[in-house]
Amino acid sequence: TSSESTTFGSCDTSPVAPPVAPPVNAPTGNEWELIYEDDFETDQGLFMGTNKRFNVVSYPDGEWSLRLRKLSKLKTEWFNVPNYSQVSFKFWMYADGMEPGDSFFLNVRFNGEKSFTALDEWVSGTDVSNGEWAEGTVILDIPEGKNEVQFQFKGNGEERNDKVYIDKVILEGNLN
């Protein structure tokens, strides 16, 4: 089964388990407001951990981006979203050394949840190609009673040379 998401390229993913609703169409109109934006030129922003920021490639210019390698994870701090019905998570990705079929995930969890749920998966050779920047966008509904959200990128590569660089992250909230 395939869920819909607006990305650069095509994206086939498994159905999303409750309580996360499937991604929906990209934001339009003025009802979206900026919650967070980072190009990682100064530091790694609200992404936790050490040794995550590298000056190898950057989008659209600059020098720095965040890196996933093999099975590593990049997790954000918690974002307060009490007034939003939806959030949009946009980013740019750049694969390096990924064999066809290698992938990475964007996962999410809301306050009160211990584990992350997969929102989307990007597969090398299908959704992202080595040496090329591609944009990813995932939009999700905020479940009733939830007011905090946390995101996690997770690598799904088999070799140490499987790398994905993440840059120009934008989180927006829909007030409707």
Side-chain angles (χ1 to χ4, degrees):
T1 308
S2 178
S3 64
E4 294 181 20
S5 78
T6 305
T7 62
F8 184 82
S10 62
C11 209
D12 291 330
T13 60
S14 304
V16 178
V20 178
V24 295
N25 292 331
T28 57
N30 296 330
E31 65 272 6
W32 291 88
E33 67 180 30
L34 184 65
I35 298 171
Y36 174 73
E37 181 175 14
D38 208 326
D39 63 5
F40 311 111
E41 290 302 307
T42 311
D43 56 28
Q44 62 189 43
L46 296 180
F47 284 83
M48 299 184 286
T50 58
N51 201 25
K52 307 291 184 189
R53 185 173 160 259
F54 293 86
N55 64 342
V56 176
V57 293
S58 183
Y59 182 88
D61 51 24
E63 298 180 14
W64 296 89
S65 57
L66 302 184
R67 185 188 77 188
L68 288 170
R69 186 172 70 186
K70 201 174 174 182
L71 301 173
S72 67
K73 300 172 187 173
L74 291 170
K75 183 171 62 174
T76 67
E77 295 179 11
W78 288 93
F79 292 101
N80 288 321
V81 293
N83 300 321
Y84 303 110
S85 60
Q86 296 175 310
V87 292
S88 166
F89 190 96
K90 301 176 195 176
F91 65 98
W92 285 85
M93 62 190 113
Y94 182 96
D96 181 29
M98 305 257 305
E99 292 79 26
D102 286 343
S103 64
F104 71 99
F105 294 90
L106 178 61
N107 302 324
V108 68
R109 70 178 171 180
F110 295 96
N111 52 297
E113 299 173 357
K114 292 186 188 282
S115 60
F116 284 91
T117 301
L119 280 178
D120 216 333
E121 178 182 21
W122 289 268
V123 180
S124 177
T126 304
D127 307 310
V128 64
S129 299
N130 287 320
E132 296 178 13
W133 283 102
E135 184 177 20
T137 301
V138 176
I139 299 171
L140 66 142
D141 293 325
I142 303 296
E144 186 71 32
K146 302 297 182 182
N147 57 16
E148 290 184 311
V149 63
Q150 187 176 43
F151 295 93
Q152 176 195 68
F153 286 106
K154 183 177 184 306
N156 193 31
E158 298 172 356
E159 306 291 332
R160 281 183 64 89
N161 69 330
D162 296 333
K163 299 176 203 134
V164 177
Y165 294 89
I166 305 294
D167 208 352
K168 192 65 178 167
V169 170
I170 299 172
L171 180 65
E172 295 176 302
N174 186 342
L175 295 168
N176 293 339

